[in-house]
Amino acid sequence: MSTEENIERKPLKMVQCGGCGAKVFIPGDLEPLATTPCSKCESPIMMPMMMRQFNLLRPIAEGGMGVVYRAFDTTLEREVAVKLMKAELADDKEVLEGFYREARACACLNHTNIIHIYAFDELEGMRYLVMEVADNGSLDGRIEDHGVIDELLALDVGIKMSSALESALAQNLLHRDLKPANILFNKENEPKLVDFGLAVNADADQDVHGTVWGTPYYIAPEKVKREGETFLSDMYSLAGTLYHALTGHVPFEAPSIEEVVAAHVHTDLTPPNHVVQSITQPTSDAIYRAMAKEPSHRYQSYGEFIMALENARSQLLVNQMRSGVAAAAVPPSEASGKGWFRR
């Protein structure tokens, strides 16, 4: 018997690497969802898994409650995202309620800038959400990669997120966890608000002595003071998110989380354009007002906030157009640097 005949022939499966896009073979006996390094680029490649008609292809994000996978709906023949609850949390009543809350909240909303939920189901003890794909990065990732976000992009995000929150409020919902990580982008670069796991009914009785929900870097002062929360608390957190995107800094920085939280209540906010001088005055003013300590001093509707952001956007575009016209009018000799010091 030849040496080749003595070699055990293991089954192989061809899959596409999410890192380099190459089609490569992986061991066919890998457990579903298990990974192995790509032979081309070393990126982890996952063994696909079928959940009803959804073929889970590769992970694209991971949160506290579950892992989100890019998947393919074999019935409707479209790409989707499947959020699979972590098995170890299946018996955690609080996590389970958050999972259900996210499904119910998003299911009743229909807005282009809120992630769409297609299905919520369970298979062999595994609970999962099926939603539209938005895997072109998050606002948080873009801040991390670039330091600051272009002002025009930040204003566009602010306008669209305000509209999304206004739509949620029309259904009596508060998001309660606005932050850069919860704003994703799809392949068309359209921002999508995600993670309604903390959402509550705006009219629900609030336990002011209970747990304070939210992310410390963007939390509204009235929540810290346990005075209850309204849509104005979400507005504050959105403005804090835009502040971070524009300046590269969270609104308040301190050595400890406790000090950060206290600063939202006691420390005056530095206007955005005092941190980054290139930020235009209308943009700075809009964010500064939306982050007023007292809710009554903020814009009293999302419509007002949107108008302020749209006004800032219009003025920014006019300034950019004038700058472009002025640059085009400079004689070639001067534009090339003759008689001028240019960096």
Side-chain angles (χ1 to χ4, degrees), residues 176 212-214 219-229 233:
R176 303 173 80 209
V212 177
W213 297 104
I219 194 167
E222 62 271 21
K223 294 175 67 170
V224 178
K225 294 188 290 184
R226 298 177 183 272
E227 294 176 349
E229 58 186 312
S233 307

Side-chain angles (χ1 to χ4, degrees), residues 116-130:
H116 290 139
I117 298 290
Y118 300 138
F120 177 63
D121 207 348
E122 180 178 347
L123 179 65
E124 298 176 356
M126 296 181 290
R127 295 180 177 87
Y128 62 95
L129 282 168
V130 184

Side-chain angles (χ1 to χ4, degrees), residues 3-278:
T3 303
E4 289 185 359
E5 291 174 334
N6 279 328
I7 297 175
E8 181 182 356
R9 298 193 177 186
K10 294 185 177 181
L12 297 173
K13 181 177 180 64
M14 178 177 282
V15 297
Q16 186 172 18
C17 173
C20 64
K23 291 184 177 181
V24 297
F25 286 102
I26 63 172
D29 55 0
L30 269 180
E31 290 292 320
L33 305 184
T35 61
T36 187
C38 171
S39 59
K40 305 287 187 182
C41 71
E42 297 296 318
S43 296
I45 299 180
M46 188 188 84
M47 173 61 77
M49 181 178 79
M50 288 297 298
M51 295 190 71
R52 303 204 191 282
Q53 77 267 33
F54 305 107
N55 187 20
L56 277 60
L57 301 173
R58 58 181 178 271
I60 54 177
E62 182 171 355
M65 289 193 295
V67 180
V68 181
Y69 297 89
R70 176 180 281 277
F72 187 75
D73 183 338
T74 58
T75 300
L76 297 180
E77 297 186 344
R78 64 177 178 181
E79 289 188 328
V80 296
V82 174
K83 185 175 183 178
L84 182 62
M85 178 184 280
K86 293 179 180 178
E88 62 268 25
L89 300 176
D91 297 324
D92 188 318
K93 291 183 179 179
E94 190 173 292
V95 171
L96 186 58
E97 177 55 33
F99 212 67
Y100 278 113
R101 188 186 299 115
E102 180 176 11
R104 295 188 190 108
C106 289
C108 74
L109 301 174
N110 183 22
H111 191 281
T112 188
N113 297 112
I114 296 177
I115 205 79
H116 290 139
I117 298 290
Y118 300 138
F120 177 63
D121 207 348
E122 180 178 347
L123 179 65
E124 298 176 356
M126 296 181 290
R127 295 180 177 87
Y128 62 95
L129 282 168
V130 184
M131 61 190 81
E132 68 173 308
V133 178
D135 63 349
N136 192 22
S138 67
L139 184 61
D140 192 49
R142 295 187 181 195
I143 294 170
E144 187 174 334
D145 291 343
H146 304 292
V148 296
I149 303 302
D150 178 76
E151 186 174 345
L152 190 59
L153 172 60
L155 287 169
D156 284 340
V157 169
I159 292 165
K160 291 173 179 178
M161 289 300 101
S162 294
S163 178
L165 290 170
E166 185 176 42
S167 178
L169 186 62
Q171 298 297 323
N172 238 14
L173 283 174
L174 304 179
H175 186 279
R176 303 173 80 209
D177 197 20
L178 264 292
K179 57 184 178 182
N182 283 341
I183 300 174
L184 305 183
F185 296 89
N186 66 10
K187 63 181 180 180
E188 287 82 25
N189 216 32
E190 193 70 18
K192 301 282 182 174
L193 180 59
V194 302
D195 199 349
F196 279 76
L198 295 180
V200 294
N201 192 299
D203 293 335
D205 292 333
Q206 297 184 26
D207 180 9
V208 296
H209 301 295
T211 303
V212 177
W213 297 104
T215 301
Y217 293 109
Y218 316 98
I219 194 167
E222 62 271 21
K223 294 175 67 170
V224 178
K225 294 188 290 184
R226 298 177 183 272
E227 294 176 349
E229 58 186 312
T230 67
F231 76 93
L232 294 169
S233 307
D234 277 351
M235 181 187 292
Y236 180 99
S237 297
L238 173 58
T241 293
L242 298 176
Y243 188 107
H244 189 181
L246 284 164
T247 67
H249 298 274
V250 293
F252 300 102
E253 296 176 320
S256 69
I257 293 299
E258 292 77 14
E259 291 173 283
V260 169
V261 170
H264 284 283
V265 178
H266 303 294
T267 304
D268 290 338
L269 180 69
T270 302
N273 63 351
H274 289 194
V275 181
V276 176
Q277 293 183 358
S278 61

